[in-house]
Each structure stands twice: as structure tokens, then as C-alpha cells.
Amino acid sequence: MEKRVRDSFARQSMMDTLGAKIANVAPGAVEITAPILPIALQQQGFGHAGLAFSLGDTAAGYSALSLMPEDQEVVTAEIRIHLLAPARGDQLIARGKVIKPGRRLVVVQAEVFARTGGREVQIALLTGTMVPVPA
């Protein structure tokens, strides 16, 4: 399961461009980290909401994939983001988890944190639905 998630993640060129890495994989839970790079800043110098969304969506999606049988993958059907604070810091951490697995729909959540040194501040909360599709 972990190899499958990591191999799939390695094929995502956007995550590579953002410097994102998988930090942890467990059944129904995935953590992704990424530096806040100059290419991902908004006009006031904070990490762009698009960076938080991309990391959160990806962490949530891979948390769902971690529970899928080998003949299925997942795609995002819908996902909502609540921006809670500016992305100030050196790194973002997205922690995705499955809230309710299902054969047709998988309800997921991701929390995104900005880290400076050892301090983390939650900057976003995402909730969404993944749909299993043939691999």
C-alpha cells in the first residue's frame, strides 16, 4: 500500500515542481510536506492559497487511495477549502485522512499547517469527496 502511494505520487510533476514530499503513509492517512518556495507566493509574500489547496487535495486523495483495492484509483469529485490563516513560515504540512470510506464515494479531510522552526499553525481545512475509478 505504501509503495503504491509513493510510486503514484512520484509521477505527479506538479508536486515535484512544488518540492513536495510524502512524509508519512498509513492506511487511510497521508502526510505531505513542501517548502514555501518563491514560485508559490501571493502578492503579500505569504504562501499562495493554491499551494495549500494542492497539498491538501493531494494528501486527502492519497489517504483515500491507501484504502483502495489494486484495481482502483481515486479522483477528486469535489473539495472545499476553508482558509484559516496566512501561510507564513518555511514549510507547509498537509495531513490527509479518510473520514468515511465507501465503494462509490470516499469522504476525506485534510488539515494544512504552516511550520516555522518547531511551531505549526493551521492555515487551512479541506473537506471533500473522492470517487473510486478503475486503475
Side-chain angles (χ1 to χ4, degrees), residues 51-124:
L51 175 61
F53 184 89
S54 295
L55 295 175
D57 175 52
T58 303
Y62 279 118
S63 70
L65 182 67
S66 73
L67 299 179
M68 291 292 112
E70 288 294 320
D71 65 340
Q72 289 186 316
E73 293 192 5
V74 296
V75 294
T76 304
E78 61 83 28
I79 200 155
R80 179 179 180 144
I81 187 168
H82 300 273
L83 299 169
L84 307 174
R88 292 184 180 109
D90 305 315
Q91 181 182 54
L92 293 188
I93 302 119
R95 296 183 178 113
K97 66 181 179 180
V98 172
I99 302 299
K100 183 177 185 312
R103 290 183 309 133
R104 295 177 196 245
L105 300 173
V106 181
V107 177
V108 293
Q109 173 182 300
E111 296 175 306
V112 183
F113 299 84
R115 179 185 289 160
T116 303
R119 184 170 181 260
E120 291 182 6
V121 173
Q122 187 172 4
I123 62 156

Side-chain angles (χ1 to χ4, degrees), residues 12-20 34-35 37 39-40 51:
Q12 288 206 9
S13 59
M14 183 170 173
M15 290 295 109
D16 186 52
T17 299
L18 296 173
L37 299 172
I39 63 165
L51 175 61

Side-chain angles (χ1 to χ4, degrees), residues 5-22:
V5 168
R6 289 183 182 277
D7 288 350
S8 177
F9 183 84
R11 294 190 301 272
Q12 288 206 9
S13 59
M14 183 170 173
M15 290 295 109
D16 186 52
T17 299
L18 296 173
K21 307 283 185 218
I22 290 184

